[in-house]
Amino acid sequence: MSEQLITCQGLTKAYGHKAALSGVDLEVGRGRIVGLLGPNGSGKTTFIKLLCGLLQPTAGTLEVAGQPIGPATKSLISYLPDRMYFADWMRAVDLFDLFRDFYRDFDYSKALAMCASLGVEPGDRLKSMSKGTKEKVQLALVMARRAQLYLLDEPIAGVDPAARDFILHTILTNYNEEGTVLISTHLIADIEKVLDEAVFLKAGQVMLHNSVDNIRENEGKSVDALFREIFRATPMEGGEF
C-alpha cells in the first residue's frame, strides 16, 4: 500500500491559453482531513475533477494510492460535487439503491442512519427538498461509502450557518479513518477546527501546504487569519481593484 494517497508532480491543466493549474507538486498522506483552500478561480474544483478522472491533465502526473487516475482509482474515491446532478423525480432511497448496486463499499443502513440524524426523509422526492436538504442527501451518499479518498467540493456552502457544524460532525463521524478527506472551501473559519492540514491554492499554484498545528505555531495566527492575509485584495495603480 502506497504511503502517500495523493501524489502529483508538475500537474497542469489549461483551458486554451489559460492555466487553471500550473505545475502543482503535492503529496497528501492517509488518515488526514485536508482543507483545499483558495478564492474562487484558484483551481480547487479543477484539481478535484482531475482526481475523479472527469478532466485530463494537460501536463504532469497525478496518482491516487500509487495508481494513475483511471478505472482502478475511481473505486477508491467518493466524490461530493459542488452541485446536485440527480434527476428531481428521484427519491433519496432511489439514490441509495443506485449506489448500493454501483459501489461495493456503500453501506445502505449507514446512509439511512445519516438521513435520520440530518433530518432528511428518505422517501421524499428531490424536487420537494430545499437546496440544503439536497446537499444533505448527497452528503449521506458520499459518506456512506468506505472509500479511501473523500473529495468534498464546497460541502457547507449551500446550508445555513446553524447547520454547518452539524454537517462537519457528520463528516467527522462517518468517514473511513484509514482514508483521507479533502474538503474544498472558502469558508475557512467554519472548517478550520476539523482540519489536520491546509493547502492554499492561488492562481493554480500551491502557495502553502502544512499542518494546521505548524501554521498556528509558525505564523502565530489561525489558518483563517493567514488565508485573509495572503489573499487580501490589494489596490492596483490608479486605485482600481
Side-chain angles (χ1 to χ4, degrees):
M1 182 180 289
S2 174
E3 182 178 339
Q4 299 298 332
L5 190 55
I6 300 173
T7 306
C8 60
Q9 295 182 331
L11 183 65
T12 298
K13 177 60 182 178
Y15 301 97
H17 297 293
K18 182 175 177 59
L21 292 175
S22 181
V24 171
D25 296 327
L26 184 67
E27 291 186 342
V28 176
R30 297 175 180 274
R32 315 293 289 165
I33 298 180
V34 182
L36 184 64
L37 313 177
N40 291 335
S42 59
K44 301 189 301 296
T45 295
T46 294
F47 183 59
I48 285 176
K49 287 184 175 179
L50 285 166
L51 284 166
C52 292
L54 298 173
L55 295 173
Q56 295 298 312
T58 304
T61 62
L62 177 61
E63 295 181 346
V64 171
Q67 302 181 75
I69 303 301
T73 60
K74 287 180 183 291
S75 66
L76 308 178
I77 293 171
S78 193
Y79 170 46
L80 176 69
D82 59 350
R83 56 177 58 90
M84 174 67 75
Y85 61 95
F86 300 110
D88 270 353
W89 59 264
M90 300 184 81
R91 302 170 300 164
V93 288
D94 297 327
L95 298 175
F96 298 162
D97 288 337
L98 180 67
F99 268 52
R100 178 168 55 183
D101 291 342
F102 203 77
Y103 297 108
R104 277 186 268 178
D105 61 2
F106 183 76
D107 188 332
Y108 194 95
S109 60
K110 189 174 183 179
L112 291 176
M114 272 190 275
C115 277
S117 67
L118 291 166
V120 175
E121 175 48 61
D124 288 350
R125 298 192 185 279
L126 297 179
K127 64 183 177 183
S128 70
M129 298 179 183
S130 67
K131 180 180 178 182
T133 302
K134 290 177 182 178
E135 294 279 356
K136 291 175 182 178
V137 171
Q138 286 199 118
L139 182 65
L141 285 166
V142 169
M143 302 310 300
R145 289 185 55 201
R146 189 170 176 80
Q148 290 194 38
L149 178 60
Y150 300 85
L151 301 175
L152 312 181
D153 197 354
E154 300 289 356
I156 59 175
V159 298
D160 60 84
R164 288 173 186 166
D165 283 346
F166 195 53
I167 286 177
L168 289 173
H169 176 74
T170 301
I171 294 169
L172 279 172
T173 54
N174 287 283
Y175 81 101
N176 172 17
E177 293 185 1
E178 295 177 1
T180 283
V181 180
L182 185 68
I183 304 176
S184 164
T185 188
H186 57 273
L187 301 172
I188 292 110
D190 292 288
I191 72 160
E192 179 172 346
K193 58 180 175 275
V194 308
L195 298 180
D196 296 308
E197 299 176 12
V199 177
F200 284 12
L201 275 183
K202 183 177 182 180
Q205 296 183 317
V206 175
M207 301 293 293
L208 173 74
H209 177 206
N210 209 335
S211 74
V212 169
D213 288 342
N214 283 345
I215 290 172
R216 290 172 181 153
E217 182 178 345
N218 296 338
E219 302 294 336
K221 61 190 68 174
S222 68
V223 175
D224 182 54
L226 181 61
F227 179 90
R228 292 173 185 271
E229 179 181 300
I230 291 176
F231 295 103
R232 182 184 297 120
T234 54
M236 299 174 66
E237 291 185 11
E240 297 180 357
F241 289 85

